Amino acid sequence: MSERPFSGFLVYELKQSPEDFQVEEILQPGWLKESGNWTIFRLRKTGWNTLDALQRIAKESRVPLSEIGYGGKKDRHATTTQHISADRILRVPPELADVLQLEPIGFSGRPLTPEANAGNRFILTLRNLVEKEEDVVLRNFEKGSRSGFINYYDSQRFSRFHPDFRLPIIPYLQGNPETCLKLLLTDPFSGEKKQARDRKKELQKFWGNWSGCERISGTKLESRIFSHLKKEKNVTSKTYAELISFFPEEELLMLLSSLQSLVWNEFVSEFLTTESVSGVRIKTKTGSLFFPEESLMQTLSSDYDLTVPGAPGIETLEYSEKEMLSLRTILSRFDLKNSVFTKSPFPKIKMNSFERNLKVVPDECLLEEFEPDDLHPGRKKVKISFRLPSGSYATMFVKRLMLRAEI
C-alpha cells in the first residue's frame, strides 16, 4: 500500500434528527402502469429500516414477507420514501401510523426488484458548522459537484464489522466456521437493543457450554442452533458450517455482499494510490480509504466500471494488469485465496460479479444559504440536495464535501 497523508474532516453533524436526512427513491421509467397484477405502494417511513418496516406490514396484512417486492433498502436514521409491491392490499399497523405511511400509486406487471430503482434524491442538513469554515465547504461542494467522488461503499454496508476479524464470513472462508458462527450469535452490532446486546455478552461467556447457551437463548434460531450443538456428540468444523446455513437467506446474502463490498473498497483504494500522484486517506469504520486529487477525478470517466469480484472467479474477469495486481494484494492482506470468489460457500446464495462505477458525479446539486443552527447556538447549518444513482452512498459524498484537506 502506497503511503499517503491522512485528512481529518471539518466540524459537522449529520442525522441529528430523521428530517436531517431525507431520501426519495426514484422508479425506473416504465414500471408504474395503470393496470397490472401487482399494486405499487409508496412507503414513507421515519426511524425504521426497510426490512423491519416490511416485516410489520407483512404481519399486519397477513402476507408472506417474501411476496412483498421492493427496489432498495433505506436507512433507519432518516425520513425516506420508497416503493414496494404486492399482489394484494397492504396495511400498516395502526399503532405505527405516525412513522409508517403507505399509499397505492399504481400497478405493475411484475413485482418490484432492485432493477426498478433508478436512484435516489437526497435532502440533507449539515449541522454544527463553524462559520469560518463556510468557504471550505463551498469549495469542496463545487469540486464534488463538478468532478464527483469515488463510489466507495460506506459503513452502513458493514453493520457486522469486527475490529479483529473484519467480517464474520472471513474466518469462515479461512477455514474457521466456529468463529464465524460465534460472531454471528454473540457479537453485538450498532443499533441493537440493550437487551439483545446483554444476552450476546452472556452467550460469549457460556460459549462451549451449549446447555447454558440454550437456556439464555432469546430467539428461535439461537435455541435451534444451541439445541443442535448440545445433542451433537462430536462437534466439528462441518457441524458449525451446517449450523450457519440455518440463518435466513437474506442474512447469508448480506454476509457475502458485505465481503464483496469490503474487498472492492480496499481494491479500489489500493488501485487509485498507484494511479494518483497525490491525494489523502480518510479513516472509516472498516479502515482507511484513498481520495485522489481533483486532477485525477477529472480524468476518470463516469463510465469507468470496475468489476466487484465474484463468480465465476477473478481469473476469468476482465481486469487490467494493474487492477489485478491491486486485487491480489488485497486478497493476500485478508489472508484469502485468489479462488475465494469462484463459487458461493452457500449453495442457495449467489455471489456473482457485477460492474460498479468507479466514480459518481451527483446530479441536481444545490447548496442553500448557511443559517444559524437551532440545535447548536453559535454554529451554522446548511441544507444540500442532490441525486445519486442506485447503490451510491450520500454519506460518502458528504465525506468528500467535508474533507479538511484541499485536493
Side-chain angles (χ1 to χ4, degrees):
M1 182 188 298
S2 303
E3 291 297 326
R4 294 292 190 278
F6 277 85
S7 172
F9 296 98
L10 304 174
V11 176
Y12 78 100
E13 298 285 349
L14 182 61
K15 298 185 180 181
Q16 294 212 293
S17 76
E19 290 297 323
D20 287 350
F21 199 100
Q22 301 179 43
V23 189
E24 179 188 359
E25 183 180 85
I26 305 165
L27 274 180
Q28 290 280 8
W31 274 83
L32 193 63
K33 301 181 183 298
E34 294 184 359
S35 63
N37 292 333
W38 283 267
T39 301
I40 295 182
F41 300 83
R42 180 183 290 119
L43 171 63
R44 179 180 170 86
K45 60 182 184 62
T46 302
W48 280 69
N49 69 48
T50 297
L51 288 181
D52 286 346
L54 293 187
Q55 285 173 349
R56 294 299 299 271
I57 290 170
K59 183 177 180 180
E60 180 70 18
S61 308
R62 297 183 180 180
V63 175
L65 179 61
S66 60
E67 293 184 11
I68 299 179
Y70 58 93
K73 298 174 184 176
K74 299 292 182 283
D75 196 1
R76 177 167 65 94
H77 303 287
T79 296
T80 69
T81 301
Q82 66 181 107
H83 304 91
I84 64 176
S85 68
D87 62 359
R88 64 194 85 177
I89 295 300
L90 299 178
R91 293 181 293 273
V92 169
E95 67 272 17
L96 298 179
D98 290 341
V99 292
L100 300 178
Q101 292 90 42
L102 197 60
E103 63 170 317
I105 60 171
F107 300 92
S108 175
R110 52 183 171 143
L112 290 183
T113 68
E115 294 177 358
N117 190 347
N120 299 283
R121 290 189 184 92
F122 296 89
I123 302 176
L124 312 184
T125 300
L126 302 175
R127 295 183 177 273
N128 198 27
L129 305 175
V130 179
E131 185 171 2
K132 66 180 181 180
E133 295 179 339
E134 288 182 16
D135 289 344
V136 183
V137 175
L138 284 168
R139 284 198 301 271
N140 284 350
F141 190 80
E142 289 173 2
K143 289 180 179 179
S145 302
R146 178 175 61 237
S147 303
F149 62 99
I150 300 302
N151 195 23
Y152 291 119
Y153 293 93
D154 211 349
S155 57
Q156 304 94 302
R157 187 74 166 182
F158 310 110
S159 60
R160 286 193 174 276
F161 187 81
H162 190 279
D164 296 324
F165 300 100
R166 289 179 170 260
L167 299 171
I169 193 64
I170 290 181
Y172 182 101
L173 295 170
Q174 291 170 341
N176 188 354
E178 180 185 359
T179 296
C180 176
L181 182 65
K182 185 176 181 180
L183 289 171
L184 291 175
L185 293 175
T186 72
D187 187 42
F189 52 85
S190 177
E192 201 166 22
K193 293 180 180 179
K194 183 179 185 302
Q195 182 179 1
R197 298 174 71 88
D198 290 344
R199 185 181 75 253
K200 287 185 174 183
K201 289 179 182 178
E202 288 298 304
L203 288 174
Q204 288 179 8
K205 296 177 184 177
F206 278 95
W207 191 261
N209 178 350
W210 307 128
S211 295
C213 287
E214 184 185 23
R215 189 169 59 253
I216 60 175
S217 295
T219 68
K220 290 182 179 179
L221 177 62
E222 290 174 0
S223 180
R224 182 185 178 195
I225 288 174
F226 291 126
S227 174
H228 189 99
L229 285 167
K230 183 180 68 174
K231 296 174 184 176
E232 188 73 29
K233 293 181 179 179
N234 182 28
V235 178
T236 65
S237 290
K238 184 179 179 181
T239 308
Y240 293 118
E242 290 174 347
L243 293 175
I244 290 169
S245 70
F246 288 3
F247 281 79
E249 290 187 8
E250 181 78 25
E251 190 157 356
L252 296 178
L253 175 60
M254 184 53 65
L255 287 179
L256 298 181
S257 297
S258 60
L259 172 69
Q260 289 180 280
S261 302
L262 181 63
V263 170
W264 194 84
N265 271 9
E266 298 273 349
F267 165 32
V268 168
S269 185
E270 177 73 18
F271 172 66
L272 289 174
T273 61
T274 69
E275 296 291 299
S276 182
V277 174
S278 64
V280 296
R281 289 190 171 276
I282 63 166
K283 293 181 179 179
T284 74
K285 176 180 180 178
T286 60
S288 68
L289 296 174
F290 181 66
F291 278 35
E293 60 187 356
E294 191 187 16
S295 60
L296 175 63
M297 294 298 299
Q298 291 177 327
T299 64
L300 290 174
S301 169
S302 295
D303 295 328
Y304 189 145
D305 289 339
L306 199 54
T307 307
V308 178
I314 67 171
E315 302 298 339
T316 66
L317 302 177
E318 295 182 359
Y319 295 115
S320 70
E321 187 176 337
K322 283 185 177 181
E323 291 167 356
M324 183 64 83
L325 178 60
S326 295
L327 178 53
R328 285 175 171 163
T329 297
I330 297 307
L331 292 178
S332 176
R333 193 176 299 156
F334 285 6
D335 196 24
L336 294 173
K337 296 178 180 178
N338 290 342
S339 60
V340 67
F341 293 111
T342 302
K343 66 177 182 178
S344 169
F346 309 120
K348 295 183 180 180
I349 311 297
K350 294 181 179 180
M351 190 171 51
N352 293 337
S353 61
F354 57 94
E355 299 301 306
R356 182 175 175 85
N357 288 129
L358 184 61
K359 82 165 186 177
V360 172
V361 180
D363 291 326
E364 303 170 15
C365 297
L366 177 66
L367 185 146
E368 299 185 8
E369 295 292 326
F370 290 86
E371 299 177 345
D373 188 347
D374 48 307
L375 299 183
H376 300 275
R379 296 294 180 95
K380 293 296 189 74
K381 68 177 181 180
V382 69
K383 186 174 290 186
I384 62 174
S385 58
F386 52 91
R387 173 177 169 170
L388 295 178
S390 175
S392 298
Y393 287 75
T395 48
M396 195 55 71
F397 180 46
V398 171
K399 285 182 172 65
R400 172 64 188 93
L401 170 62
M402 303 307 292
L403 270 183
R404 187 168 294 280
E406 293 216 24
I407 57 171

